Amino acid sequence: HRTILCLFLMWPSVVEVLGDIHQDATNQELKGIAEGLLEKMETFKFVFMLHLMKVILAITNDLSEALQQRTHNIINAMTMVRSMKNKLQLLREEEWETFLEDVKKFCDDNFIEVPNMEDILPIRGRSRREGQAVTYFHIYRVEIFCGVSYLIN
């Protein structure tokens, strides 16, 4: 949880360091690695996943810490599990818009392109002729956002 938070706080310098490595490195392999990391980190998908990890880890952190204690109170642990499940359900049902706006703002602040959630993408592994497609909204809201929170729940 702390690592993800640190990455958020250090975002400009992390990206800047990779840019410096890419620009100044004499080793072509190192240049390529830095360029690849930059390309991945400066995408909406990466930022979305990073934000989701931060939110999920914040929700599960108290339970995780309690379970690591030597003295386990099963009643307390069960209460914490219920609380965590309620928070995850609230996240899925009521906090999508706020979450998405936070991700978009971060992207805007860092000059990262934000896709139009209504744009249609072909389903991977299918030809375009089959006509099966999904929107960015479906991928990010249903497959990733809700999917991850259901897995934990």
Side-chain angles (χ1 to χ4, degrees):
H1 182 250
R2 290 182 192 115
T3 304
I4 301 297
L5 185 58
C6 286
L7 187 53
F8 272 108
L9 296 174
M10 297 177 4
W11 182 267
S13 30
V14 167
V15 172
E16 202 173 287
V17 167
L18 287 172
D20 290 346
I21 291 170
H22 176 258
Q23 187 173 11
D24 299 338
T26 55
N27 179 321
Q28 291 304 313
E29 183 180 0
L30 189 57
K31 273 176 128 27
I33 291 170
E35 182 177 18
L37 287 171
L38 274 171
E39 286 176 9
K40 286 183 179 15
M41 288 177 70
E42 292 180 328
T43 65
F44 180 81
K45 184 175 184 177
F46 181 87
V47 172
F48 184 92
M49 297 299 277
L50 194 61
H51 273 78
L52 184 57
M53 286 172 49
K54 178 183 151 201
V55 169
I56 296 291
L57 289 171
I59 290 171
T60 60
N61 189 53
D62 289 341
L63 177 61
S64 174
E65 287 183 8
L67 293 175
Q68 293 176 44
Q69 300 301 318
R70 291 188 188 267
T71 57
H72 295 286
N73 178 335
I74 192 71
I75 303 297
N76 187 35
M78 289 174 62
T79 301
M80 292 179 87
V81 167
R82 272 193 296 277
S83 174
M84 182 192 71
K85 286 182 159 205
N86 289 338
K87 288 176 184 177
L88 288 169
Q89 185 168 350
L90 182 67
L91 175 68
R92 276 191 305 273
E93 294 176 358
E94 298 180 20
E95 296 178 5
W96 163 252
E97 291 295 328
T98 303
F99 174 82
L100 185 60
E101 288 307 311
D102 289 346
V103 173
K104 286 179 176 179
K105 182 180 180 335
F106 184 92
C107 287
D108 289 342
D109 291 348
N110 290 281
F111 309 102
I112 297 170
E113 185 178 346
V114 176
N116 178 344
M117 288 293 142
E118 300 306 316
D119 284 353
I120 296 174
L121 302 166
I123 296 176
R124 290 185 199 120
R126 306 277 180 139
S127 76
R128 293 181 191 262
R129 286 176 274 152
E130 291 181 44
Q132 294 184 335
V134 295
T135 61
Y136 280 105
F137 175 83
H138 179 82
I139 290 170
Y140 286 101
R141 171 77 169 110
V142 177
E143 293 182 15
I144 299 174
F145 186 79
C146 289
V148 167
S149 63
Y150 276 117
L151 282 174
I152 296 169
N153 208 352

